[in-house]
């Protein structure tokens, strides 16, 4: 009777990863992403070098272009931080999209009743309104999970659709619709509620500074507070944390409230810093993009800021790239997906390994 040695491959988590290995994996992922994007540009009939040059010039080629890049990055920082806080605790908040709408709507409702007051009153009120609106809408999903055991993925996704229909109703035939307008939008907001511009001659507003401050606060929350310790422990083993005596229901609700509050701030920065009116279309998509940004930033506040600026640069440079090379600007979304896939592959290579196991 003959013995055969069968070979198996087992996926194992690495016990330790050297910093140099992480740098090499990150560089390899970036190089692979650039190569695949170059093939996409070539397939679109453009020179990859010309496309990348136009993309870089359109995003950072001048102070005005750099300011526009940071403007586009601002709401992504907030929604990325929202996903970062929730995902660190393994609470899958997919509802940042709806929480962006809720924050913008609640802030607009508060500010609409303060028309004529000075900016010193209106701006703090709308910031508080964005925080409260997003937090309450995320808290609804928290109540459904802690009281009725409704999975947060299902509840947050469904709540996204509900809030979109509610804002469409308010803007189409409700009291917020602009008289005689052909679009679903409100009249322009009161000048006293507009976020101040940071640099003259650009559209970079104070919302970007607020986003950076929020990233710093989230970093302190996650690393230097008891709540941050509980979030980290919940991400490792929620059941063990429950056995230890921590009120995990309260923790889930608090995490969703914080996550929703951050997402709500994204809504007010777009409404009161860029468009100066509430429209459903101009704040759509930031919640879902924030999830990608958070994953690309390895669920770290600094990584979220860097990834948001990168995505803002891609969005801002896409217009010049289309003008210079003829590459459709919609291809940017494919580039974002390629970046995410290759950086996730690099992360997996750093944290896991395939080990060859022989058995008789």
């Amino acid at each position: 009777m003959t013995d055969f040695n069968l070979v198996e491959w087992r996926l194992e988590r690495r016990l330790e990863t050297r910093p140099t290995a992480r740098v090499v994996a990150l560089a390899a992922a970036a190089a692979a992403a650039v190569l695949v994007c170059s093939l996409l540009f070539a397939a679109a009939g453009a020179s990859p070098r010309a496309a990348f040059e136009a993309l870089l010039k359109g995003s950072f080629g001048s102070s005005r272009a750099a300011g526009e890049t940071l403007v586009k990055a601002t709401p992504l920082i907030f929604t990325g931080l929202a996903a970062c806080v929730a995902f660190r605790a393994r609470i899958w908040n997919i509802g940042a999209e709806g929480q962006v709408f809720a924050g913008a709507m609640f802030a607009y409702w508060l500010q609409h009743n303060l028309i004529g007051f000075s900016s010193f009153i209106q701006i703090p009120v709308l910031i508080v309104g964005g925080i409260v609106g997003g937090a309450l809408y995320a808290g609804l999903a928290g109540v459904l999970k802690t009281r009725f055991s409704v999975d947060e993925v299902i509840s947050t996704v469904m709540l996204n659709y509900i809030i979109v229909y509610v804002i469409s109703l308010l803007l189409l035939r409700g009291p917020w619709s602009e008289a005689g307008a052909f679009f679903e939008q409100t009249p322009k907001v009161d000048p006293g509620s507009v976020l101040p511009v940071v640099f003259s001659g650009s559209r970079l507003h104070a919302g970007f500074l607020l986003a950076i401050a929020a990233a710093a606060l989230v970093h302190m929350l996650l690393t230097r507070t008891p709540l941050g310790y509980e979030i980290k422990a919940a991400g490792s083993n929620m059941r063990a944390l429950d056995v230890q005596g921590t009120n995990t229901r309260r923790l889930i609700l608090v995490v969703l409230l914080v996550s929703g509050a951050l997402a709500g701030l994204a809504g007010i920065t777009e409404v009161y810093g860029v468009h100066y009116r509430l429209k459903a279309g101009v704040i759509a998509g930031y919640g879902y993009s924030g999830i990608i940004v958070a994953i690309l930033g390895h669920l770290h506040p600094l990584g979220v800021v860097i990834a948001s600026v990168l995505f803002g640069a891609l969005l801002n440079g896409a217009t010049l790239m289309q003008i210079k090379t003829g590459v459709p600007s919609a291809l940017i979304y494919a580039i974002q997906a390629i970046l995410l896939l290759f950086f996730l592959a690099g992360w997996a290579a750093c944290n896991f390994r395939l080990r060859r196991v022989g058995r008789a």
Side-chain angles (χ1 to χ4, degrees):
M1 189 173 181
T2 306
D3 292 334
F4 294 94
N5 289 328
L6 302 179
V7 177
E8 288 184 349
W9 293 92
R10 182 177 299 171
L11 185 66
E12 296 181 344
R13 178 179 285 274
R14 299 179 186 271
L15 297 179
E16 184 180 359
T17 304
R18 296 179 179 178
T20 54
R22 293 187 180 275
V23 173
V24 170
L26 186 66
V34 169
L35 177 61
V36 174
C37 292
S38 299
L39 295 176
L40 280 179
F41 292 145
S47 167
R49 179 177 179 179
F52 279 118
E53 287 179 352
L55 196 60
L56 185 62
K57 185 177 180 181
S59 54
F60 294 107
S62 64
S63 58
R64 184 173 183 179
E68 286 295 315
T69 294
L70 297 181
V71 168
K72 293 186 181 300
T74 298
L76 294 176
I77 294 175
F78 284 118
T79 54
L81 292 173
C84 175
V85 171
F87 290 2
R88 277 285 193 97
R90 292 200 178 185
I91 299 172
W92 311 116
N93 178 19
I94 315 298
E97 181 81 358
Q99 292 145 27
V100 170
F101 280 88
M105 292 168 63
F106 195 74
Y108 181 80
W109 178 74
L110 288 177
Q111 178 271 319
H112 189 66
N113 295 302
L114 294 174
I115 293 177
F117 285 83
S118 66
S119 299
F120 294 102
I121 296 176
Q122 291 200 52
I123 292 179
V125 167
L126 66 90
I127 291 174
V128 172
I131 292 173
V132 173
L136 290 178
Y137 206 61
L140 181 57
V143 171
L144 291 174
K145 181 175 178 63
T146 56
R147 296 293 182 183
F148 305 101
S149 299
V150 178
D151 187 85
E152 71 272 17
V153 174
I154 297 175
S155 62
T156 51
V157 169
M158 293 298 102
L159 287 170
N160 287 343
Y161 289 100
I162 292 173
I163 197 73
V164 169
Y165 289 127
V166 169
I167 193 173
S168 296
L169 179 63
L170 290 173
L171 296 180
L172 183 62
R173 297 181 179 179
W176 290 356
S177 60
E178 184 179 18
F182 295 99
F183 304 100
E184 295 181 10
Q185 62 185 22
T186 63
K188 281 200 170 184
V189 299
D190 185 65
S193 64
V194 173
L195 294 176
V197 174
V198 177
F199 300 110
S200 60
S202 73
R203 294 201 307 165
L204 184 61
H205 52 79
F208 176 74
L209 302 180
L210 185 63
I212 298 300
L217 290 175
V218 168
H219 179 69
M220 292 180 60
L221 170 70
L222 295 174
T223 57
R224 300 188 179 183
T225 65
L227 177 60
Y229 169 78
E230 291 180 352
I231 290 173
K232 184 178 180 179
S236 299
N237 194 326
M238 180 75 79
R239 186 179 296 273
L241 193 63
D242 196 12
V243 172
Q244 184 185 357
T246 302
N247 189 344
T248 53
R249 289 188 175 186
R250 177 193 61 82
L251 176 62
I252 291 171
L253 186 58
V254 170
V255 168
L256 283 172
L257 288 173
V258 173
S259 179
L262 290 166
L265 287 172
I268 68 163
T269 56
E270 284 299 287
V271 172
Y272 293 96
V274 180
H275 302 285
Y276 311 127
R277 65 172 79 236
L278 180 59
K279 294 193 291 186
V282 299
I283 56 176
Y286 288 117
Y288 297 118
S289 297
I291 296 174
I292 301 175
V293 164
I295 295 173
L296 195 61
H298 288 254
L299 302 183
H300 190 282
L302 178 60
V304 166
V305 173
I306 295 173
S308 299
V309 173
L310 173 62
F311 272 38
L314 291 174
L315 293 172
N316 191 37
T319 303
L320 185 62
M321 181 187 68
Q322 182 172 358
I323 294 172
K324 293 287 187 181
T325 64
V327 175
S329 60
L331 198 63
I332 287 300
Y333 298 104
I335 295 175
Q336 291 176 354
I338 290 169
L339 286 172
L340 177 64
L341 289 175
F342 278 105
F343 277 98
L344 283 178
W347 173 84
C350 287
N351 291 277
F352 297 90
R353 66 178 178 179
L354 280 174
R355 189 165 68 90
R356 190 176 182 181
V357 180
R359 63 184 178 86

